[in-house]
């Protein structure tokens, strides 16, 4: 089906005549009689106002005007046929688009999405990542996984992962500068911050320290970074202490490349929420059920 060509009338007829150099051959290819092809070529010549082919004893050849028109028609039909194949291919392989932030995409979603593709080989998954909410509800995504409070999202949003945060650093950093016996000793270290525009949606160092009864202003030596992946890379390279979201840093903690160096703070009204967009269908339900079935 993907090779079925679009019906473009005279363009097909003229292109076949120019490519094959034969009215009879073009007719055989297109399922038309030779007189029907000849009649159509005459009509095209009338519209263009110039002869397009020269009839010979065997077959025909394009005139100069015919060559000019053939180049445009042949190239145009190739592009149209290629576009048609792409459209049909996209319809035969449904695409599910998931919108989320960079940190969740890198640390939670991408390591798991291969399993969904194995379970549903007929569905292609496209992940769209952004640090902000722009694009989350513009109708281009089938599901959005967004961080915030319950009140930030529609009533049908479902909690995928509550916010649980622990301070983390590399094992080498702790060996060199630790141990960190209490939150106040942590506050004297360079802290790695996830920068945000406007009011932060996630827990910050200021909030975490306040829960521990410690006040601290940003200090020289702190480092602000605009994506969570950069924050974790800075922690791995021993540039300071980061806040680690349980669910995102689990693999690093399990492998020992990062270690927890402080108590956990949990906010049950905050976390990653799953919001499906558009009308329900079987593919979207399969994606939602799979996401919600993943261990936290």
């Amino acid at each position: 089906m993907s090779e079925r060509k679009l019906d473009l009338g005279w363009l097909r007829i003229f292109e076949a005549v120019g490519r094959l150099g034969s009215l009879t051959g073009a007719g055989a290819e297109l399922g038309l009689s030779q007189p029907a092809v000849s009649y159509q070529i005459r009509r095209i010549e009338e519209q263009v106002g110039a002869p397009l082919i020269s009839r010979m004893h065997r077959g025909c050849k394009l005139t100069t005007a015919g060559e000019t028109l053939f180049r445009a028609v042949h190239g145009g039909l190739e592009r149209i046929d290629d576009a048609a194949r792409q459209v049909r291919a996209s319809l035969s392989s449904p695409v599910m688009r998931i919108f989320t932030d960079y940190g969740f995409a890198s640390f939670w979603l991408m390591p798991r999405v291969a399993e969904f593709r194995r379970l549903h080989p007929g569905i292609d998954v496209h992940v769209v990542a952004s640090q902000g909410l722009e694009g989350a509800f513009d109708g281009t995504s089938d599901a959005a996984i967004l961080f915030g409070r319950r009140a930030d999202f529609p009533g049908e949003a479902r909690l995928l992962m509550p916010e649980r945060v622990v301070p983390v650093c590399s094992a080498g950093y702790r060996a060199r500068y630790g141990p960190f016996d209490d939150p106040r000793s942590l506050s004297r270290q360079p802290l790695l911050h996830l920068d945000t525009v406007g009011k932060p949606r996630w827990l910050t160092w200021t909030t975490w320290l306040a829960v521990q009864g410690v006040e601290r202003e940003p200090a020289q030596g702190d480092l602000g970074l605009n994506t969570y992946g950069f924050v974790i890379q800075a922690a791995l390279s021993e540039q300071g202490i980061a806040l680690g979201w349980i669910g995102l840093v689990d693999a690093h903690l399990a492998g020992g490349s990062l270690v927890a160096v402080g108590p956990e703070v949990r906010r049950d009204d905050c976390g990653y929420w799953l919001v499906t967009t558009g009308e329900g269908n079987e593919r979207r339900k399969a994606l939602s059920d799979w996401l919600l079935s993943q261990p936290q």
Side-chain angles (χ1 to χ4, degrees):
M1 179 178 176
S2 63
E3 290 299 317
R4 176 173 55 83
K5 295 181 177 179
L6 300 177
D7 181 15
L8 298 174
W10 71 267
L11 295 178
R12 292 279 180 211
I13 297 172
F14 176 70
E15 191 274 340
V17 171
R19 173 168 43 83
L20 299 172
S22 168
L23 298 173
T24 302
E29 180 176 284
L30 299 172
L32 300 171
S33 66
Q34 190 273 346
V37 174
S38 181
Y39 171 75
Q40 188 62 58
I41 293 298
R42 288 197 302 271
R43 288 194 60 196
I44 300 169
E45 290 176 328
E46 290 173 0
Q47 294 177 36
V48 174
L52 300 175
I53 65 170
S54 295
R55 290 169 174 80
M56 305 172 66
H57 179 65
R58 290 182 180 275
C60 62
K61 69 175 183 178
L62 294 170
T63 64
T64 300
E67 290 279 5
T68 300
L69 184 60
F70 177 79
R71 285 193 296 270
V73 170
H74 180 70
L77 286 176
E78 282 190 330
R79 290 191 293 273
I80 291 171
D81 288 340
D82 182 61
R85 282 191 290 269
Q86 292 181 38
V87 169
R88 290 170 183 141
S90 68
L91 293 176
S92 62
S93 300
V95 174
M96 298 296 292
R97 292 178 173 81
I98 307 174
F99 183 98
T100 189
D101 62 49
Y102 293 113
F104 191 87
S106 299
F107 296 108
W108 194 96
L109 186 58
M110 294 310 299
R112 290 170 168 82
V113 77
E115 174 66 11
F116 177 81
R117 296 175 65 188
R118 186 188 67 78
L119 295 172
H120 303 277
I123 303 177
D124 289 339
V125 177
H126 290 184
V127 177
V128 180
S130 172
Q131 201 62 16
L133 296 178
E134 298 81 6
F137 303 108
D138 61 2
T140 61
S141 299
D142 297 282
I145 302 170
L146 307 171
F147 192 93
R149 295 180 180 274
R150 180 68 188 88
D152 296 333
F153 304 111
E156 64 272 16
R158 287 170 285 182
L159 183 63
L160 194 61
M161 189 171 73
E163 184 177 34
R164 298 168 55 201
V165 181
V166 295
V168 297
C169 66
S170 70
Y173 188 93
R174 182 179 63 178
R176 184 176 296 114
Y177 300 107
F180 307 111
D181 297 323
D182 55 63
R184 192 167 299 280
S185 64
L186 283 181
S187 71
R188 292 191 285 268
Q189 298 297 313
L191 302 183
L192 306 174
H193 300 266
L194 177 59
D195 289 339
T196 184
V197 176
K199 184 178 180 180
R201 289 180 287 123
W202 39 77
L203 192 140
T204 65
W205 269 115
T206 300
T207 306
W208 186 91
L209 288 168
V211 171
Q212 313 305 323
V214 178
E215 293 185 6
R216 178 190 186 274
E217 296 294 329
Q220 187 175 6
D222 286 1
L223 182 60
L225 300 141
N226 68 343
T227 69
Y228 193 58
F230 293 163
V231 172
I232 295 304
Q233 286 300 317
L236 292 170
S237 60
E238 303 187 0
Q239 297 186 52
I241 301 177
L243 290 176
W245 273 260
I246 301 301
L248 303 189
V249 298
D250 296 29
H252 286 296
L253 292 173
S257 56
L258 291 177
V259 293
V261 290
E264 176 184 309
V265 170
R266 176 172 178 140
R267 300 195 299 179
D268 288 325
D269 63 329
C270 288
Y272 278 101
W273 298 82
L274 172 63
V275 182
T276 55
T277 57
E279 297 180 359
N281 57 44
E282 292 184 4
R283 297 192 303 273
R284 190 174 290 115
K285 184 178 186 303
L287 177 63
S288 297
D289 290 347
W290 174 79
L291 287 168
L292 292 167
S293 71
Q294 298 304 298
Q296 297 179 5

